[in-house]
Every structure is written in structure tokens, then in C-alpha cells.
Amino acid sequence: MKKILVGLIILMPIIFFIPFWSAFTFTETRSEDPVLHYIPMSRETNFQIIFTHSIHLTDVIESYKVIDSHKIQLLSMQYSDVAIGMPGYAEEGQTLQYENGIYTLRYEEAILKDFTLHIGDVDYKLSFNYGTKDFNLKEELVRGKSYLFEVKKLSLYEKMKGVELNG
């Protein structure tokens, strides 16, 4: 019995503090006590962020893929209007295609470790699509705040302390 108790005492910190679960994380920035919000990952590696452009008032679809070492690869961006804030030409490492009224900007090697996402206090769409779920970030996160978006492994402690997004 004593050996089992000692084993549990040794095992608990490992189970509690070692990161095992991969997740999409949104960590509040510019805060003394940042809150971590997360979406558990499955085997699916592709996801999208869809938002309504504040000037054109049309949807923009950004497509991403999680690659090894929890890095984020920007695959493409689709939109229907160019000009203010939306590119009308491709730069080096990009291709731009126009078909059926939609521009698709594809990226060859756009690899990111993380990025900051601002949740504007306006009534326009901002959603995170993963698998079959659609997460309305305007409802799930605090408007007017910025969040560091990363893909990382979480420990049981971080999961318990954080907030799981419901979708």
C-alpha cells in the first residue's frame, strides 16, 4: 500500500504538469493575469478564420494548416474585393487567381509560430472553423481585446485553469 501511495505522489505532478494535449490557444495579451482559451485538437490539421472585412463588408476566408512542431502554415486567403486592406497582386512566394468573382491568394511558404488576433468591438463576423465546428470568436472571447494565437500542447493544469471554447 505504501509503494502505491509513493507511486501516486510521484506520478501526480507528471500527469498534472506535463503537456500532453494539443490545442489551438488564444491567450489574452496586455494583461497582468492573462486568460488562456483553447480548442482541443483532433487529428485534423486544417482550420479557417473567417471574418467580415470592415470596409468592404464581405467575407474573407483565411485557410491554415498545422505542421510539425506546432507551427502554422498560411495556405490561402479568399476575398471578393481588392483595394483597402486586400492585395490586388501576388508578391514573391504567392499566386493570385481570380475566378467567379473571388480572389484566391495562395502562399507557398508562409510559416508562422504564432500571431495576434484582435477581437474588434463591431458587429461583424469573426469565426474559427475547425473540423465540423464553427466557433464564434465574438461571443467566445472578449471584444476589444487582443489574443496571441498559438498551437501548443497543454498540461492538465493548463486545461483546468483555462477556458475551453464551446463552438
Side-chain angles (χ1 to χ4, degrees), residues 12 15 39-40 68 73-74 83 89 102 106 111 123 155 157:
M12 283 305 289
I15 293 172
I39 299 169
D68 40 297
Q73 180 177 11
L74 175 56
Y89 61 92
I102 301 293
R106 297 190 197 291
I111 310 294
D123 291 327
S155 68
Y157 173 75

Side-chain angles (χ1 to χ4, degrees), residues 75-77 79 87 89-90 94-97 103-107:
L75 300 173
S76 67
M77 184 167 39
Y79 47 93
Y89 61 92
Q94 302 173 346
T95 57
L96 182 65
Q97 180 181 19
Y103 292 90
T104 302
L105 184 62
R106 297 190 197 291
Y107 300 86

Side-chain angles (χ1 to χ4, degrees), residues 142-154:
V142 179
R143 289 177 175 217
K145 299 223 176 216
S146 295
Y147 295 83
L148 179 66
F149 176 80
E150 299 174 280
V151 178
K152 64 182 188 176
K153 289 193 180 267
L154 299 178

Side-chain angles (χ1 to χ4, degrees), residues 26-151:
F26 301 84
T27 308
E28 195 176 331
T29 62
R30 293 183 250 150
S31 172
E32 289 183 25
D33 190 22
V35 176
L36 176 121
H37 297 78
Y38 67 93
I39 299 169
M41 282 185 65
S42 62
R43 291 187 175 151
E44 176 64 41
T45 57
N46 290 356
F47 65 95
Q48 294 180 324
I49 294 177
I50 302 172
F51 63 94
T52 301
H53 192 281
S54 61
I55 295 173
H56 302 295
L57 302 180
T58 56
D59 284 351
V60 177
I61 302 170
E62 296 178 343
S63 297
Y64 298 88
K65 181 177 186 172
V66 178
I67 57 175
D68 40 297
S69 302
H70 289 98
K71 290 189 176 147
I72 305 160
Q73 180 177 11
L74 175 56
L75 300 173
S76 67
M77 184 167 39
Q78 292 182 313
Y79 47 93
S80 56
D81 292 305
V82 294
I84 303 171
M86 304 309 298
Y89 61 92
E91 295 183 1
E92 186 176 337
Q94 302 173 346
T95 57
L96 182 65
Q97 180 181 19
Y98 182 74
E99 190 174 302
N100 297 328
I102 301 293
Y103 292 90
T104 302
L105 184 62
R106 297 190 197 291
Y107 300 86
E108 292 174 20
E109 290 292 323
I111 310 294
L112 310 166
K113 181 182 148 239
D114 57 44
F115 57 85
T116 300
L117 183 64
H118 181 72
I119 310 301
D121 193 13
V122 292
D123 291 327
Y124 298 135
K125 179 193 295 187
L126 176 59
S127 63
F128 184 91
N129 292 4
Y130 179 62
T132 60
K133 288 197 169 185
D134 182 38
F135 300 86
N136 182 340
L137 297 180
K138 296 283 180 131
E139 290 178 5
E140 302 263 9
L141 302 174
V142 179
R143 289 177 175 217
K145 299 223 176 216
S146 295
Y147 295 83
L148 179 66
F149 176 80
E150 299 174 280
V151 178

